[in-house]
Amino acid sequence: MLVFTRKREEAIIIGDGIEVRILRVGQDSVKIGVTAPPSVPVHRQEIYDLIRAENEVAVRRSGDLHKVIARLRERVGHT
Amino acid sequence: MSAPEIETPVNEPIDVNPRAEDVIAFPTGLPGFESCRRFVVMSREDAAPLCWLQGLDEPRPAFLAIDPALVLENYRMRLGPADHQRLDAREDDPLLWLAIVTIASDDTATVNLRAPIVINPRRMMGFQVVPHESLYPLRHPLSF
């Protein structure tokens, strides 16, 4: 891991057109500004991890799909 | 050369040999499946109202999915300008929304309304929206 010391309003540049700028430094948190092209999504890691975990559970499908579909159809009136 | 056999949500392998125009590009994959960049949306009479999003690249994930508007009538997710650019979407492009369905071991199903899939059918590009704030839950019970 590359480690940088930055002051407020200083930035680092990553690759082509990604800028990470330190905006404010508090006691327990740092405010960061990220500028990136639209093709580069930027996420808070804990939210990305939450959705990744749910996607991984979703592809495993531990229950019985046929039962779920049958129940859905009863409710929406499919035959 | 025969088409690859892919395990589908109905637990039978079927041939997936999509026409090029049916393949949707997901330039960043899906969270957890970043290496899978191409998907097709598949539907079958015996699985309706569910459909599935079938990955074509390894590990070929198959996600059950449903139109979130069928689950919550007034479902709305706001996209920003960067999101539209990621879809190469014009303001008036109709977008296709899908919410991933998870089936638990007790045969109950939940829908991920928090992080839906959005597809621009005109350009056949999609991604999974990862909003940092959302009114919608990750596990909404699937019932009508």
Side-chain angles (χ1 to χ4, degrees):
Chain A
M1 184 192 286
L2 284 172
V3 179
F4 297 89
T5 301
R6 300 277 68 194
K7 295 184 176 137
R8 196 165 55 82
E9 284 305 328
E10 289 183 340
I12 60 169
I13 302 288
I14 302 170
D16 192 7
I18 301 170
E19 181 194 276
V20 180
R21 184 171 294 275
I22 308 305
L23 300 179
R24 198 170 67 212
V25 181
Q27 199 160 9
D28 298 316
S29 63
V30 177
K31 195 164 206 168
I32 292 173
V34 179
T35 309
S39 58
V40 178
V42 178
H43 305 295
R44 287 161 175 76
Q45 183 180 28
E46 67 278 14
I47 294 167
Y48 193 86
D49 287 348
L50 190 73
I51 288 157
R52 169 165 53 200
E54 189 63 14
N55 283 350
E56 284 166 354
V57 173
V59 295
R60 281 204 291 277
R61 270 187 310 281
S62 44
D64 185 332
L65 173 65
H66 294 281
K67 282 187 190 163
V68 171
I69 290 173
R71 266 203 319 271
L72 286 177
R73 289 175 166 216
E74 269 172 36
R75 298 206 183 124
V76 296
H78 272 271
T79 49
Chain B
M1 198 178 78
S2 68
E5 288 212 325
I6 292 180
E7 196 74 14
T8 70
V10 275
N11 304 323
E12 315 156 14
I14 60 156
D15 284 349
V16 175
N17 195 6
R19 298 177 303 167
E21 60 265 37
D22 291 335
V23 176
I24 306 158
F26 281 68
T28 53
L30 263 64
F33 300 89
E34 291 82 359
S35 61
C36 185
R37 305 290 173 86
R38 298 177 305 142
F39 284 86
V40 282
V41 176
M42 305 185 72
S43 53
R44 248 167 55 167
E45 186 68 21
D46 61 358
L50 303 181
C51 62
W52 69 95
L53 192 66
Q54 175 66 61
L56 301 176
D57 302 317
E58 293 298 333
R60 294 180 183 164
F63 295 94
L64 275 170
I66 192 167
D67 175 358
L70 282 179
V71 181
L72 279 187
E73 202 179 332
N74 295 316
Y75 184 84
R76 288 283 180 283
M77 180 72 62
R78 190 182 289 271
L79 291 180
D83 297 321
H84 278 96
Q85 284 188 50
R86 287 178 74 188
L87 294 168
D88 198 11
R90 298 189 292 238
E91 276 295 306
D92 56 347
D93 275 340
L95 301 177
L96 172 67
W97 293 87
L98 290 173
I100 294 177
V101 174
T102 296
I103 297 182
S105 52
D106 62 358
D107 304 329
T108 58
T110 59
V111 192
N112 181 350
L113 295 179
R114 166 113 190 224
I117 308 278
V118 61
I119 294 164
N120 175 9
R122 186 177 63 84
R123 298 286 294 129
M124 294 301 267
M125 293 184 76
F127 69 94
Q128 186 169 15
V129 187
V130 180
H132 65 268
E133 284 176 320
S134 173
L135 296 172
Y136 298 112
L138 197 63
R139 292 185 174 172
H140 181 91
L142 181 55
S143 54
F144 287 93

